[in-house]
Amino acid sequence: KNEVEQSPQNLTAQEGEFITINCSYSVGISALHWLQQHPGGGIVSLFMLSSGKKKHGRLIATINIQEKHSSLHITASHPRDSAVYICAVRSWQTSGSRLTFGEGTQLTVNP
Amino acid sequence: KAGVTQTPRYLIKTRGQQVTLSCSPISGHRSVSWYQQTPGQGLQFLFEYFSETQRNKGNFPGRFSGRQFSNSRSEMNVSTLELGDSALYLCASSPGQARLEQYFGPGTRLTVT
């Protein structure tokens, strides 16, 4: 079982729909990142959070440390939101800290 | 501020050769991390450097190595290339160990033939 599990793997929505992507993890973490990757490879960091909720424009990220679960919400989705969304957790080990990534969620928003 | 830059952007090498990739972090950032992305394995952590010291290393063979210079620029080297090393190699910088926001570069796409 992967340390970081995302669902769904693929998501198709119509423009304007409310979208939720989920991330569950099984290790102790110091922070959780939500990343966006567009075709061509460039990755943008959307959020880094260790508790509660953060909002940026139409994007909202929440985390429940006790349940080891995070969600990324997109309100009023738009075709330009089409991308791969990746959840990553930062965990500490005896050798230092590292990011462990989920497999990503491919989001397609149709006009 | 300029973003994270990586050179080269694309590279084709032959099995058995070695390759060096370069990453220049955002000015003032002291931490650089490297990641490998493949269709089969997704994104995987390679190494993290802070102030010229390797702070952590992922589960990759010794053919993968890296270093960081005094100006925070970082290089990674892969020796004796294998077909499975074909991947997108991404680096990310962050201000420091207490501030862990990751700023990613565009990546270097390496193809091994």
Side-chain angles (χ1 to χ4, degrees):
Chain A
K1 192 176 189 299
N2 293 335
E3 291 181 348
V4 182
E5 299 273 356
Q6 280 185 242
S7 63
Q9 284 190 312
N10 293 283
L11 183 54
T12 300
Q14 289 300 120
E15 184 173 357
E17 286 185 358
F18 181 85
I19 288 162
T20 297
I21 299 170
N22 295 299
C23 175
S24 296
Y25 53 92
S26 57
V27 295
I29 69 168
S30 57
L32 182 144
H33 300 249
W34 280 103
L35 310 172
Q36 181 193 56
Q37 186 171 31
H38 280 283
I43 292 180
V44 174
S45 179
L46 299 173
F47 297 102
M48 183 182 76
L49 62 165
S50 55
S51 64
K53 175 179 173 178
K54 286 190 176 181
K55 184 174 188 292
H56 181 72
R58 293 180 296 106
L59 303 178
I60 303 166
T62 63
I63 188 168
N64 184 318
I65 297 294
Q66 287 72 31
E67 295 185 4
K68 294 187 175 178
H69 182 268
S70 176
S71 294
L72 176 68
H73 305 287
I74 305 176
T75 62
S77 59
H78 190 276
R80 65 174 174 267
D81 297 326
S82 298
V84 176
Y85 292 84
I86 302 168
C87 168
V89 299
R90 181 168 292 278
S91 58
W92 286 92
Q93 305 164 334
T94 53
S95 55
S97 78
R98 66 174 60 187
L99 281 182
T100 304
F101 299 86
E103 293 183 352
T105 296
Q106 173 69 62
L107 171 64
T108 303
V109 182
N110 294 316
Chain B
K1 281 185 180 176
V4 178
T5 58
Q6 292 187 244
T7 57
R9 293 291 311 278
Y10 302 91
L11 202 50
I12 300 174
K13 290 285 190 178
T14 304
R15 269 182 303 175
Q17 289 185 315
Q18 67 92 26
V19 67
T20 299
L21 311 181
S22 180
C23 173
S24 293
I26 291 171
S27 177
H29 285 194
R30 297 169 64 191
S31 177
V32 172
S33 300
W34 287 90
Y35 304 96
Q36 182 198 62
Q37 186 177 36
T38 60
Q41 298 296 321
L43 273 161
Q44 293 183 285
F45 169 75
L46 277 160
F47 347 86
E48 179 183 11
Y49 288 89
F50 179 77
S51 292
E52 302 179 67
T53 301
Q54 186 179 90
R55 306 299 291 193
N56 201 358
K57 188 177 192 298
N59 298 324
F60 281 82
R63 300 184 296 106
F64 291 80
S65 63
R67 57 180 177 168
Q68 186 180 33
F69 302 95
S70 58
N71 61 358
S72 293
R73 189 177 70 87
S74 179
E75 289 180 347
M76 66 163 282
N77 183 278
V78 187
S79 62
T80 319
L81 284 165
E82 300 178 359
L83 294 179
D85 298 332
S86 295
L88 180 66
Y89 291 88
L90 292 151
C91 82
S93 74
S94 61
Q97 288 188 297
R99 292 182 55 198
L100 301 174
E101 302 94 331
Q102 299 267 284
Y103 296 84
F104 285 82
T108 294
R109 187 163 297 279
L110 171 64
T111 302
V112 182
T113 63

